[in-house]
């Protein structure tokens, strides 16, 4: 519990940092001010850093003693949401908001950096701090990996604040935690005509509607209900006015799965249904599928390590190991594919104001959550590298 006490002594610092980030949110790949502020804080703390691509900040704390290497990841990007909260730290950037807790992630990792540095003599090896850009759009992680930051890393670790989970609780799940994410785009090339003469055209709206409805049946026929998967269409655009059959329609959506086999099977099905349906009605469909990230799975070995560290921070009943797997995704999975890692859900709710769901215009974080997150990260550093 000593580490938790030290983390609470840094609470005001982390609150200050989080409120700054919250007031100055930036979208993925545009986190220029955010990165500059992080670098200014790391300079004050006395930790060397470097940029990877334009908006990833990588810092390193070297104990000076030979040992293993542990990477701690915090994502730093915001969302295109207009904030509805009336708080002193309200977003100053119109139409942009930290509505997923990444401002808190950056803040807790800065607090963790201070604590880790103060315990530099208590461990061997290195700690890498990765302030990652653009998680919300599936970017950043692979830039860091391609730059060689993960070379020689033995373990990876990330915390994500969880709305609806009480402060002081940690969700640490072994096995499947979150789904993979693929983004698909279907462009239907039909033929325009007057709406009263459909025989002279190829109706992209009708074809798109058929494709969208057929995609809703794929998972139930191809994937075991025990495993679970998801195909969702989130965008359908076509047409210019009420009495013209439009020549083109565009559908965009996502595929979520928990295994490589299911992921491929669903991707193949999306492509086949779109192309065949378009051909049947005299049109053509172009399908692109973008690999956003892998499923997020916690190996039993690393989950056990983090659970043991959590037991030194909170009571046993505050460690939740039977979380349901979820269809949300996080490209921390790319890090853990390179070096085994653990993804932790940390409770961030202590009132109605902090129980709004992620990606909601009223989203907010309980201030104590930063201290609990920092305490777990630092305790894991000390336990794994001791």
């Amino acid at each position: 519990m000593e580490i938790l006490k030290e983390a609470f002594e840094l609470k005001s610092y982390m609150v200050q940092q989080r409120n700054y980030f919250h007031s100055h949110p930036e979208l993925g790949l545009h986190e220029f001010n955010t990165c500059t502020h992080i670098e200014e804080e790391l300079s004050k703390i006395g930790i060397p850093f470097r940029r990877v691509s334009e908006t990833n900040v990588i810092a390193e704390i070297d104990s000076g003693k030979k040992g293993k290497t542990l990477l701690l990841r915090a994502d730093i990007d915001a969302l295109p949401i207009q904030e509805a909260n009336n708080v002193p730290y309200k977003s100053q950037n119109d139409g942009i908001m930290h509505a997923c807790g990444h401002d808190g992630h950056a803040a807790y990792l800065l607090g963790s950096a201070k604590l880790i540095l103060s315990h530099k003599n208590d461990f061997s090896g290195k700690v890498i701090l990765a302030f990652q850009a653009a998680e919300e759009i599936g970017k950043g992680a692979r830039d860091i990996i391609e730059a060689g930051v993960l070379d020689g890393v033995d373990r990876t670790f990330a915390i994500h604040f969880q709305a609806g989970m009480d402060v002081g609780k940690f969700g640490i799940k072994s096995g499947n935690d979150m789904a993979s994410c693929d983004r698909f785009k279907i462009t239907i090339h039909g033929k325009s005509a007057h709406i009263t003469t459909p025989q002279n055209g190829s109706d992209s709206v009708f074809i798109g509607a058929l494709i969208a409805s057929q995609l809703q049946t794929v998972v139930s026929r191809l994937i075991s209900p025990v495993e679970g998967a998801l195909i969702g269409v989130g965008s359908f655009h076509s047409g210019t006015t009420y009495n013209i059959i439009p020549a083109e329609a565009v559908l965009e959506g996502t595929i979520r799965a928990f295994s490589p086999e299911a992921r491929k099977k669903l991707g193949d099905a999306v492509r086949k249904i779109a192309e065949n349906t378009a051909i049947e009605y005299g049109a053509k469909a172009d399908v692109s599928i973008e690999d956003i990230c892998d499923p997020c799975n916690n190996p039993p070995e690393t989950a056990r390590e983090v659970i043991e560290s959590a037991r030194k921070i909170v009571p046993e009943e505050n460690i939740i190991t039977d979380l349901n797997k979820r269809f949300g995704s996080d490209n921390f999975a790319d890090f853990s594919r390179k070096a085994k890692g653990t993804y932790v859900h940390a409770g961030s709710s202590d009132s109605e104001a902090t129980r709004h769901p992620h990606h909601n215009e009223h989203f907010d974080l309980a201030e104590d959550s930063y201290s609990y997150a920092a305490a777990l990260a630092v305790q894991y550093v000390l336990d794994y590298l001791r």
Side-chain angles (χ1 to χ4, degrees):
M1 300 296 286
E2 186 61 34
I3 294 298
L4 182 62
K5 179 183 175 183
E6 293 179 27
F8 267 95
E9 289 171 354
L10 284 176
K11 175 183 171 180
S12 61
Y13 170 78
M14 289 185 282
V15 169
Q16 178 186 24
Q17 297 306 314
R18 184 267 175 167
N19 290 353
Y20 177 85
F21 293 129
H22 193 88
S23 299
H24 302 82
E26 295 172 299
L27 297 178
L29 303 180
H30 297 277
E31 307 96 330
F32 301 108
N33 176 70
T34 302
C35 286
T36 298
H37 184 82
I38 290 169
E39 289 168 342
E40 288 172 352
E41 290 303 311
L42 290 170
S43 294
K44 293 175 187 175
I45 297 168
I47 298 174
F49 58 84
R50 63 185 173 107
R51 287 277 182 109
V52 168
S53 62
E54 294 186 310
T55 53
N56 297 286
V57 178
I58 307 299
E60 185 177 293
I61 303 173
D62 190 339
S63 70
K65 293 169 283 187
K66 188 176 180 180
K68 294 173 287 188
T69 300
L70 170 62
L71 181 143
L72 308 179
R73 193 285 308 253
D75 36 9
I76 62 175
D77 55 322
L79 288 157
I81 294 174
Q82 183 67 45
E83 181 163 14
N85 292 323
N86 185 19
V87 291
Y89 47 86
K90 184 175 181 177
S91 170
Q92 297 177 19
N93 296 339
D94 193 49
I96 305 175
M97 177 191 176
H98 272 293
C100 200
H102 297 185
D103 48 350
H105 299 171
Y108 103 76
L109 193 56
L110 284 173
S112 299
K114 281 178 169 270
L115 285 178
I116 294 167
L117 192 61
S118 71
H119 285 276
K120 187 175 176 180
N121 294 329
D122 298 332
F123 65 89
S124 301
K126 299 178 183 178
V127 179
I128 296 175
L129 311 174
F131 295 87
Q132 179 206 320
E135 186 279 328
E136 293 289 358
I137 57 173
K139 307 293 184 182
R142 291 175 187 174
D143 289 333
I144 293 172
I145 293 168
E146 288 169 8
V149 175
L150 273 288
D151 295 349
V153 170
D154 299 285
R155 287 285 189 274
T156 54
F157 175 88
I159 285 177
H160 200 296
F161 289 122
Q162 182 60 53
M165 183 185 290
D166 290 341
V167 169
K169 291 187 176 181
F170 296 114
I172 308 170
K173 179 180 173 58
S174 176
N176 288 335
D177 188 359
M178 292 189 295
S180 62
C181 178
D182 293 300
R183 177 179 180 176
F184 64 80
K185 181 177 181 180
I186 301 169
T187 304
I188 302 161
H189 303 283
K191 182 181 178 182
S192 62
H194 195 281
I195 204 142
T196 61
T197 58
Q199 73 278 9
N200 294 331
S202 180
D203 192 340
S204 63
V205 169
F206 171 67
I207 295 167
L210 286 177
I211 292 170
S213 62
Q214 287 184 61
L215 291 180
Q216 303 309 309
T217 68
V218 172
V219 170
S220 66
R221 298 302 91 193
L222 295 183
I223 305 300
S224 164
V226 176
E227 179 179 353
L230 180 148
I231 296 177
V233 176
S235 173
F236 188 161
H237 293 280
S238 185
T240 56
T241 191
Y242 78 103
N243 63 351
I244 299 174
I245 290 174
E248 186 173 286
V250 179
L251 293 81
E252 292 186 86
T254 186
I255 302 167
R256 306 293 174 104
F258 294 98
S259 70
E261 296 77 18
R263 189 181 185 186
K264 183 180 186 307
K265 189 181 290 186
L266 294 178
D268 291 345
V270 168
R271 193 178 300 278
K272 184 177 180 180
I273 286 171
E275 292 174 350
N276 289 351
T277 304
I279 290 171
E280 185 177 357
Y281 290 93
K284 179 177 182 292
D286 293 328
V287 183
S288 64
I289 300 177
E290 180 185 1
D291 168 9
I292 301 294
C293 67
D294 287 347
C296 193
N297 299 316
N298 290 334
E301 175 188 359
T302 70
R304 282 194 299 269
E305 292 170 356
V306 177
I307 288 169
E308 286 303 312
S309 295
R311 285 174 174 147
K312 300 175 182 179
I313 303 297
V314 296
E316 187 73 31
E317 60 268 24
N318 282 11
I319 304 170
I320 305 167
T321 59
D322 59 350
L323 293 172
N324 292 327
K325 62 185 182 183
R326 58 196 71 197
F327 286 108
S329 59
D330 192 308
N331 63 5
F332 173 75
D334 291 332
F335 290 123
S336 56
R337 179 176 57 182
K338 183 74 174 177
K340 288 183 181 180
T342 307
Y343 188 90
V344 177
H345 304 271
S348 61
S349 298
D350 64 357
S351 67
E352 288 306 308
T354 56
R355 291 190 187 278
H356 295 286
H358 297 263
H359 294 214
N360 179 280
E361 65 273 16
H362 291 285
F363 183 83
D364 208 346
L365 297 168
E367 292 181 349
D368 282 356
S369 60
Y370 321 138
S371 296
Y372 279 101
L376 180 58
V378 175
Q379 187 65 60
Y380 184 49
V381 166
L382 295 178
D383 290 343
Y384 183 69
L385 298 180
R386 191 115 59 181

